[in-house]
């Protein structure tokens, strides 16, 4: 029982990190960034590429993980900004359908671009956190799991600080509420949107590296399912709401953990998507989302 | 003098903002009523409630003896039950149903179907009154062909009625602004309304176009259709309207004939300004 | 005239009679768009019909039949995406439902094929309602991701259940048979032997597509099709014009679902074996790409797109390796520079252009994500981006 909760928390923190980017981008430009899951995959591959370039393999050092994490975050952040600049910005005034389709195109480009470079087979991630653990409260906990959860928590706290306390954060919230108004008040909308893409992508990249170190193997399609799951998490929490995304991620992780235990692991994804459909039907605004009247 | 449309205590809140605050008025059959008020007075929000697009927080709207907005028990609202029901399309009257009952509307910022031709824009609006079955459409039965031909003829009738003389096969985006306005009115008329809501029909029109618009609105009234218009152009409103409702901060502050409203101190203070009253 | 009046007798407010007769559109093969497209369509059908007489090898026929099934799927998705503007990322799920239902009903339950076809249609309508009813009330982008999730649910379910054969799928699905004679028996025509049953499926697919093209064209022109396009262009305005947008959307969705189910049945009987791997998200995306590249809402465009996406990897070996990457890049490029596709739905034949106006650009359509980019002086920033792209 406690074990299920703990496992759920770990997977949930991955979901939450990816969901944050989804939710932020959606909150600010109302775009479902389909390629967001692939940024997570890119994060893992950037880590893999850097470490391989230095000839590192089977490493277990946590400081090294942190360095790689930071490097990946910056790289994926920049890639996110680049994607927004090339593919999404020119289409901001286009119908939604056009932007969504573009996002699918970007997702395909990233997935199969990585496939062309690294090949279709899974790669072993060079950093492997040791799995020796200890028992607390009847659950098996490893040191690496604790490290991952702590990193995730720190990242989320930093994000919360940025959004709540800084000038840029205020600009983000202003644009989310009323883009035209924010622009009239002198907010540089383009720059803020670019920053949102940077932060969101960096978080997804971090989650990618962490997932690589945790699961040990990475492949070019690893972002697809987690992208879907993260979206589910964002919807459960209330899309556009940051705390909602965190809550939704952890909640979805737990739900899956329990769902797999009760119905069998092969039904895990069905269980998660079932929840997505259920939530969208009954409470499309999610747990923490405000009821929004759509402007005409 | 029966009321075609009755609005009672209409209230609409978005979050903390009260857009419409206890609005009541009525529209009689075949009259031209103008709703005026400063920007942000809640005119368009009220329109959106009346035509079924927004769900007001409280109040009742009755059109032609049918309830568009029903009073909701407070407990239901508190429990979120109403939202749930509405998300399944229950407990609300959809705008399409309102249109079917005979209330047509135009939009403040032209909203024609941009990838349809002028003619198709108008024939699309005959949706509710057109009887074409699925299989009849697939098989092109004589009944279908007849209905389609009648529909096209009717649409052309409306285009001529509003004075559209250009090529009906043009895409609406190729038309000048004034012509697009005409097409939008033709499209609204094609739904066969008893009441036509015009949201700022004169916005962006030049003097001649405004004169033509006034003639057109009188012509529409001549068909027995009541017209409610939101308008900022005072000259046009004073000349055209038989009755004026003035809104300010979501509340009705005056209701009466143009001459009466013009002299109402509350209106002068809120809206017309000192200069206007001196002109009178 | 009396006839016409009767057709709208129940309408309470009738328009005054038109003041003048508008000119009749021209007819003829080269003087009207419609005539030319009909002639072109006829020519295409003839060319496709002749192929088996030139090369009836198993290999050619298999590829050609698969390409035709692709065309069928793309036409179905075109109704959903192109006409009604609903982004369906799990379209392959209905294909899977069709394939599995016909597979299970014929092999496990031993039903005849026509009964399985009816079961397929019913199953697809049901699936369409189950997935469409709750989600079509939501915003369009939610629909996209829910359909994606639904597609995965169907595939994973097929993978996990016993009755669907698990990961290995269903084998030995029988062919269509009429009394003692079945498609497997082969036949000869004009002195040429067609021993392969695949030739039959080729012709069946061709006939179904011709019926589909005509049917979709007729629906698109009628009351329902106008409602779909209105919903696509501006949902609120459509609702204000008396169109129940929910019903319009769900009808498009169900028609698309049934069509995909029929394609699935065709594929199941043609290949006689199915497995969950044929129903991955990848294929939903490929179908969508074909529709987008060809031109959403444009039947000739979609057919060309489908043939390109399905045949290019077969014809160009080097291309096969790189295709998904190329498709992905193409999708972005097309959306940025030619959003209405290679053959836009509003395309007008070049030599008819003077008598008919040029179509509007798709990008100019109402931007839903608010007026974010309306800069202070009111100039839309799209202009500003022209320079960026160059």
């Amino acid at each position: 029982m406690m074990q299920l909760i703990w496992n759920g928390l770990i997977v949930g923190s991955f979901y939450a990190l990816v969901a944050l980017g989804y939710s932020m981008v959606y909150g600010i430009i109302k775009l479902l960034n389909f390629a967001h899951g692939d940024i997570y995959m890119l994060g893992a591959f950037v880590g893999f590429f850097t470490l391989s370039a230095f000839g590192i393999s089977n490493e277990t050092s946590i400081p090294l993980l942190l360095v790689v994490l930071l490097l990946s975050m910056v790289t994926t952040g920049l890639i996110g900004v680049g994607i927004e600049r090339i593919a999404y910005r020119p289409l901001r005034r286009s119908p939604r359908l056009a932007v969504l389709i573009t996002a699918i195109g970007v997702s395909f480009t990233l997935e199969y671009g990585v496939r062309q470079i690294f090949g279709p087979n899974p790669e072993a991630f060079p950093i492997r956190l040791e799995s020796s653990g200890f028992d607390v409260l009847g659950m098996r906990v490893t040191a690496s799991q604790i490290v991952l959860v702590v990193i995730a928590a720190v990242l989320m706290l930093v994000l919360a600080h940025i959004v709540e306390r800084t000038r840029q954060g205020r600009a983000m919230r202003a644009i989310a509420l009323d883009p035209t108004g924010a622009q009239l008040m002198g907010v540089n909308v383009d720059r803020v949107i670019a920053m949102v893409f940077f932060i969101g992508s960096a978080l997804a990249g971090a989650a990618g590296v962490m997932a690589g170190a945790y699961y040990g193997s990475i492949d070019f399609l690893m972002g697809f399912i987690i992208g879907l799951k993260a979206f589910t998490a964002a919807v459960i929490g209330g899309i556009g709401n940051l705390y909602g995304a965190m809550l939704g991620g952890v909640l979805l992780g737990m739900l899956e953990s329990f769902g797999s235990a009760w119905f069998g692991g092969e039904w895990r994804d069905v269980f998660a998507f079932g929840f997505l459909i259920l939530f969208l039907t009954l409470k499309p605004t999610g747990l923490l989302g405000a009821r929004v009247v759509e402007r005409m | 003098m029966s009321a075609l449309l009755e609005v009672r205590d209409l209230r609409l809140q978005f979050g903390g903002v009260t857009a419409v605050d206890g609005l009541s008025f009525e529209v009689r059959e075949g009259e031209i009523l103008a709703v005026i008020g400063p920007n942000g007075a809640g005119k368009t929000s009220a329109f959106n409630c009346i035509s079924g697009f927004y769900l007001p927080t409280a109040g009742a709207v009755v059109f032609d003896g049918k309830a568009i907005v029903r009073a909701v028990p407070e407990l239901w609202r508190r429990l979120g039950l109403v939202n749930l029901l509405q998300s399944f399309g229950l407990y609300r009257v959809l705008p399409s149903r309102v249109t079917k009952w005979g209330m047509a509307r135009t939009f403040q910022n032209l909203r024609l179907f941009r990838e349809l031709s002028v003619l198709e824009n108008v024939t699309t609006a005959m949706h509710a009154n057109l009887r074409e079955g699925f299989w009849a459409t697939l098989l092109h039965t004589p009944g279908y062909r007849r209905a389609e031909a009648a529909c096209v003829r009717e649409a052309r009738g409306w285009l001529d009625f509003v004075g559209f003389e250009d090529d009906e096969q043009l895409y609406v985006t190729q038309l000048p602004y004034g012509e697009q306005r005409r097409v939008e009115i033709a499209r609204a008329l094609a739904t066969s309304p008893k009441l036509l809501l015009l949201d700022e029909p004169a916005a962006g029109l030049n003097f001649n176009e405004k004169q033509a618009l006034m003639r057109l609105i009188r012509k529409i009234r001549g068909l027995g259709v009541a017209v409610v218009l939101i308008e900022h152009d005072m000259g046009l409103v004073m000349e055209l309207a038989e009755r004026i409702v003035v809104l300010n901060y979501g509340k009705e502050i005056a209701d009466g004939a143009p001459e009466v409203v013009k002299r109402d101190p509350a209106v002068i203070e809120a809206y017309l300004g000192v200069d206007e009253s001196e002109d009178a | 005239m009396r006839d016409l009046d009767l057709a709208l007798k129940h309408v309470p407010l009738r328009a005054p009679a038109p003041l003048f007769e508008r000119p009749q559109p021209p007819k003829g093969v080269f003087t009207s768009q419609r005539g030319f497209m009909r002639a072109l369509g006829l020519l295409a059908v003839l060319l496709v019909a002749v192929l088996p007489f030139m090369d009836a090898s198993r290999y050619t026929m298999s590829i050609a039949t698969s390409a035709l099934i692709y065309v069928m799927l793309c036409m179905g998705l075109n109704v959903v995406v192109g006409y009604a503007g609903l982004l369906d990322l799990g379209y392959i799920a209905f294909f899977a439902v069709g394939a599995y239902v016909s597979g299970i009903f014929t092999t496990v339950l031993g039903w005849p094929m026509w009964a399985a076809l009816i079961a397929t249609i019913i199953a697809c309508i049901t699936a369409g309602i189950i997935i469409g009813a709750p989600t079509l009330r939501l915003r369009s982008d939610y629909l996209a991701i829910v359909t994606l999730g639904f597609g995965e649910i169907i595939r994973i379910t097929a993978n996990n259940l016993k009755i669907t054969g698990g990961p290995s799928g269903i084998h030995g699905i029988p062919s269509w048979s009429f009394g003692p004679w079945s498609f497997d028996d082969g036949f000869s025509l004009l002195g040429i032997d067609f021993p392969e049953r695949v030739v039959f499926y080729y012709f069946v697919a061709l006939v179904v597509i011709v019926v589909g093209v005509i049917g979709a064209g007729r629906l698109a022109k009628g009351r329902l099709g106008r409602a779909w396009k209105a919903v696509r262009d501006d949902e609120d305005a459509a609702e204000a014009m008396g169109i129940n947008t929910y019903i319009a959307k769900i009808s498009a969705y169900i028609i698309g679902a049934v069509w995909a189910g029929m394609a699935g049945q065709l594929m199941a009987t043609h290949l006689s074996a199915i497995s969950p791997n044929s129903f991955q998200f990848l294929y939903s995306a490929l179908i969508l790409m074909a529709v987008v590249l060809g031109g959403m809402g444009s039947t000739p465009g979609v057919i060309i797109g489908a043939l390109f996406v399905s045949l290019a990897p077969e014809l160009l070996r080097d291309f096969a390796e790189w295709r998904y990457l190329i498709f992905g890049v193409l999708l972005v490029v097309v959306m940025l520079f030619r959003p209405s596709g290679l053959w836009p739905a509003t395309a007008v034949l070049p030599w008819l252009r003077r008598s008919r106006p040029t179509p509007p650009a798709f990008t100019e359509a109402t931007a839903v994500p608010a007026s974010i980019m309306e800069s202070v002086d009111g100039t839309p920033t799209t202009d500003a981006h022209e320079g960026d792209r160059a």
Side-chain angles (χ1 to χ4, degrees), chain A residues 22 227-237 248 252 272-273 275-277:
Chain A
Y22 247 125
L228 256 172
K229 297 278 184 65
F231 176 80
T232 308
V235 166
I236 289 179
L252 182 67
F273 301 143
F275 256 95
L276 171 67
I277 296 173

Side-chain angles (χ1 to χ4, degrees), chain C residues 8-367:
Chain C
L8 290 172
K9 200 177 50 161
H10 55 283
V11 179
L13 179 71
R14 294 290 304 276
L19 295 175
F20 54 91
E21 285 293 312
R22 305 210 177 224
Q24 288 293 314
K27 292 200 166 95
V29 173
F30 288 101
T31 47
S32 79
Q33 177 99 4
R34 213 171 147 201
F36 185 79
M37 291 314 295
R38 278 184 177 178
L40 199 66
L42 201 65
L43 192 70
V45 170
L46 281 178
L47 279 177
V48 175
V50 160
L51 177 70
F53 296 93
M54 325 273 276
D55 179 0
S57 69
R58 175 176 277 263
Y59 174 74
T60 315
M61 280 295 102
S62 274
I63 290 174
T65 310
S66 298
L68 288 185
I69 291 176
Y70 239 91
V71 170
M72 220 178 136
L73 276 173
C74 290
M75 282 169 47
L77 188 65
N78 187 38
V79 170
V80 181
V81 179
Y83 291 160
L86 307 167
L87 187 53
D88 188 343
L89 294 180
Y91 194 61
I92 205 78
F94 297 117
F95 188 60
V97 168
Y100 271 103
V101 167
S102 44
I104 291 169
F105 275 67
T106 49
T107 57
V108 180
L109 303 178
W111 286 25
M113 194 50 81
W114 60 266
L117 179 64
I118 293 170
T120 298
I121 291 172
I122 294 171
C124 284
I125 293 175
T126 317
I129 292 174
I130 288 174
I131 193 66
T135 50
L136 288 172
R137 291 198 189 282
L138 300 168
R139 292 246 319 276
S140 55
D141 32 13
Y142 281 11
L143 178 73
I145 207 128
V146 171
T147 49
L148 211 177
F150 174 65
E152 286 298 290
I153 288 180
I154 293 285
R155 186 180 61 81
I156 297 168
T157 308
N159 209 12
N160 291 346
L161 288 181
K162 261 212 189 80
I163 194 165
T164 54
S168 54
I170 300 176
H171 301 277
I173 298 165
S175 265
W176 277 90
S177 55
F178 302 91
W181 181 83
S182 98
F183 276 10
D184 287 339
D185 297 342
F187 77 127
S188 55
L189 180 70
L190 303 174
I192 306 167
D193 273 333
F194 293 113
E196 301 293 350
R197 66 184 196 154
V198 74
V199 177
F200 290 96
Y201 287 105
Y202 180 80
F203 279 113
V204 170
L206 179 61
V207 170
V208 171
I209 287 171
V210 170
V211 171
V213 166
I214 296 171
R218 288 183 169 185
L219 279 182
K221 278 225 165 85
R223 173 179 179 267
L224 193 56
R226 284 194 296 263
W228 289 338
K229 291 176 189 170
V231 169
R232 176 194 66 192
D233 280 4
D234 188 333
E235 202 172 327
D236 290 329
E239 187 75 39
M241 291 307 120
I243 296 165
N244 186 325
T245 51
Y246 181 59
I247 290 178
K249 287 194 279 186
I250 210 160
S251 63
Y253 202 68
I254 289 174
I255 288 170
V258 168
W259 191 250
M262 281 159 55
Q265 210 237 13
L266 199 60
M267 193 202 72
T269 46
H270 149 59
L271 295 179
S272 86
I274 47 176
S275 78
N277 270 342
S278 327
F279 308 110
Q280 291 171 21
F281 166 68
L282 186 65
Y283 298 104
S284 287
L286 284 182
I287 298 164
L288 180 72
M289 279 176 197
V291 172
V292 172
L293 297 181
M296 285 181 278
S298 146
T299 302
V302 163
I303 291 173
I304 291 168
L307 291 177
F308 171 69
V309 167
S310 60
L311 291 181
E314 300 289 345
L315 301 180
L316 309 164
R317 287 213 75 97
D318 291 338
F319 182 77
E321 170 84 348
W322 290 87
R323 62 181 152 173
Y324 298 124
L325 180 59
I326 292 171
F327 286 152
V329 175
L330 262 182
L331 208 53
V332 177
V333 170
V334 164
M335 272 298 127
L336 287 177
F337 300 107
R338 199 177 163 82
S340 45
L342 293 174
W343 189 314
T346 48
V348 179
L349 297 170
W351 63 90
L352 293 176
R353 234 168 240 163
R354 216 161 292 149
S355 58
R356 275 194 66 177
T358 43
F362 177 54
T363 29
E364 281 169 24
T366 344

Side-chain angles (χ1 to χ4, degrees), chain A residues 51-67:
Chain A
L51 290 168
S52 310
F54 286 101
I56 299 166
S57 65
N58 285 322
E59 186 61 56
T60 55
S61 131
I62 285 170
L64 185 65
L65 176 68
L66 289 179
V67 172

Side-chain angles (χ1 to χ4, degrees), chain A residues 27-41:
Chain A
I28 205 153
I29 53 171
K30 306 284 174 279
L31 159 71
L32 270 188
N33 186 6
F34 259 94
H36 194 65
D38 299 307
I39 299 278
Y40 161 93
M41 177 270 295

